[in-house]
Structures are given as C-alpha cells and as structure tokens.
Amino acid sequence: MTQAVRVIFLGPPGAGKGTQAKQLAERYGIPHISTGEILRNAIAQSTLLGQKAQAYVDRGELVTDDLMLDMIRERLQEQDAKNGWILDGFPRNVAQADFLEQLLGELNQEAKQAINLEVPDGIILNRLLQRGRKDDQEDTIRRRLEVYREQTAPLIEFYRQRDKLYSVDGDRSPDTVTQSLTDILEAATSPSNGNCASAPSEGS
Ligand code: ADP
C-alpha cells in the first residue's frame, strides 16, 4: 500500500470498532486513536481532563465538545499521526465532524473513508453486558445507545454526502470483518490503474 490510511470508524457502542481498529493499526503501522481510551486513561490518572470528563463518561453522556476538540487537535499533530491514523470514537456529533473536517484540511490529512460498522441492537446490548467495563451497566448502556442514535447516527448521512461512507456488516466473526475492512482500505488507497499509464514523452 503506497498511500496513508486515514479512516474514521462510525457505528454504535459495542459494534467492534475498538477490536477492528486495533487490528488495522497493527497491520498498517499507524496509531489507533480511541477517544474513549484516552478519556479512560485521563480518568485513571486523574488529570485535569479526566476530572472534568468523569461524570459524563459515567453517565453515558458525551463529554463536552470544548474538551474533545482540544484533545483531538493535539493528538492529530503528534508525530506518529503524520503517516495515517484510525479514529475510533471521534467524531460523535455533527459539531465534532465539522470541526474535524476543517482541522484535517489545515493539517493536510483529509480522511479517506468513514466506515459504518453495522450491528443489530439486540446483539449490541448482549455484547456490552458481557464486556463489563465500568460504564457497561445496563442503564448506562441504554443511555449510550440513545446518545448514539440522536447525535452520532446523523454522521452516516454526513459522510455519505461526502462520498466517504462504507457500510460493513459487523455481525460476523472478527476475522471476517477485518478482511472486509482491509479490502475497502486497500481498494481505495492503491493508485488507480488509470493514473499508472506513463505520460507521453515530449520531444525525442
Ligand atoms: P463506546 O464505543 O462503548 O461508546 P467509547 O470507549 O468510545 O465507548 O467511549 C466511552 C465514553 O467516552 C462515551 O460514552 C463518552 O462519555 C466518552 N467519549 C468518547 N469519545 C467521545 C467524543 N468524541 N465526544 C464526547 N464524548 C466522548
């Protein structure tokens, strides 16, 4: 693969974004940027960000945009993000998506694909209950699913309008899903044959 992978994962909590993002990050040698993980680390270390974010995370609400936007701007400017990235958990509402689009334009790092990992609701609830993270209590899960439907699902349309949307069935074995994802990334990032023809030489 000759071009940078820059991909955004959409899809409800429990769709398998984290699992898949980890696989792809390893395969392509690029960072997996999970805003949920960054927040959980900040909370564990009780940084200022962690202290401000904790109540939102515990309730299954979105952390406020002012905190999230600073975080993502800093993260995308780190050295390891220059060669590509996988975004997992950001953007999560239209304001974040607008901000990201502008930021990536400034950094010259336009996202190439947004992948919607689709999994039916009934399966999601079971997956999350089995995972048993601190914010995986049934009430909090229900709230996260509601927040997803209200605030995050509209991003599917946002990226469809920009011709970046790919939908992938997430209700299959992890390896099968990874295979579908690599097919999408590699089809879209290898140089198209049309551009490979050598230019007609001038002169002699
Ligand atoms: P899940 O995929 O199970 O929803 P995440 O690990 O992505 O979990 O996120 C956990 C929590 O972190 C969210 O419920 C939310 O409180 C917070 N969070 C993560 N990313 C964002 C974001 N982009 N904007 C606001 N809050 C976020």
Side-chain angles (χ1 to χ4, degrees):
M1 171 156 343
T2 50
Q3 292 180 37
V5 168
R6 287 191 291 268
V7 57
I8 294 167
F9 268 111
L10 301 174
K17 301 187 295 290
T19 305
Q20 294 300 328
K22 212 164 286 165
Q23 292 293 325
L24 297 176
E26 216 163 278
R27 182 180 178 117
Y28 299 120
I30 53 177
H32 165 207
I33 302 177
S34 158
T35 47
E37 213 169 286
I38 294 172
L39 289 171
R40 281 188 288 281
N41 286 336
I43 290 169
Q45 292 167 18
S46 198
T47 64
L48 194 57
L49 169 66
Q51 292 171 28
K52 289 180 179 168
Q54 177 153 32
Y56 298 100
V57 173
D58 285 349
R59 288 200 309 267
E61 302 289 339
L62 294 186
V63 172
T64 52
D65 286 345
D66 59 328
L67 295 177
M68 299 307 301
L69 303 187
D70 284 347
M71 176 216 281
I72 206 76
R73 185 194 286 113
E74 282 174 26
R75 184 64 189 87
L76 287 173
Q77 294 189 77
E78 281 176 41
Q79 190 57 35
D80 66 345
K82 301 254 187 306
N83 300 323
W85 35 254
I86 297 166
L87 269 185
D88 162 16
F90 191 98
R92 241 179 168 93
N93 61 29
V94 172
Q96 292 183 4
D98 281 332
F99 171 88
L100 181 66
E101 190 170 51
Q102 175 161 355
L103 174 66
L104 294 177
E106 285 166 19
L107 298 176
N108 209 2
Q109 292 188 13
E110 196 193 344
K112 296 183 183 153
Q113 299 99 359
I115 294 190
N116 180 27
L117 214 48
E118 296 180 303
V119 177
D121 277 7
I123 288 172
I124 282 174
L125 193 62
N126 282 335
R127 282 190 186 178
L128 292 174
L129 285 169
Q130 279 170 23
R131 187 166 75 176
R133 216 167 62 193
K134 182 165 176 262
D135 60 342
D136 286 341
Q137 308 296 320
E138 191 155 348
D139 283 358
T140 318
I141 292 173
R142 288 193 191 286
R143 183 60 195 141
R144 298 220 307 281
L145 285 170
E146 258 171 41
V147 169
Y148 172 76
R149 268 184 227 110
E150 289 163 9
Q151 304 197 49
T152 312
L155 298 184
I156 294 170
E157 208 39 53
F158 181 99
Y159 288 107
R160 198 197 312 275
Q161 283 170 9
R162 286 157 177 76
D163 273 332
K164 294 191 178 193
L165 187 76
Y166 294 79
S167 286
V168 171
D169 177 5
D171 188 16
R172 299 177 295 166
S173 77
D175 285 351
T176 314
V177 176
T178 307
Q179 186 58 54
S180 296
L181 294 172
T182 53
D183 287 348
I184 291 172
L185 298 185
E186 297 185 11
T189 48
S190 39
S192 77
N193 290 334
N195 294 336
C196 282
S198 52
S201 53
E202 302 228 346
S204 65

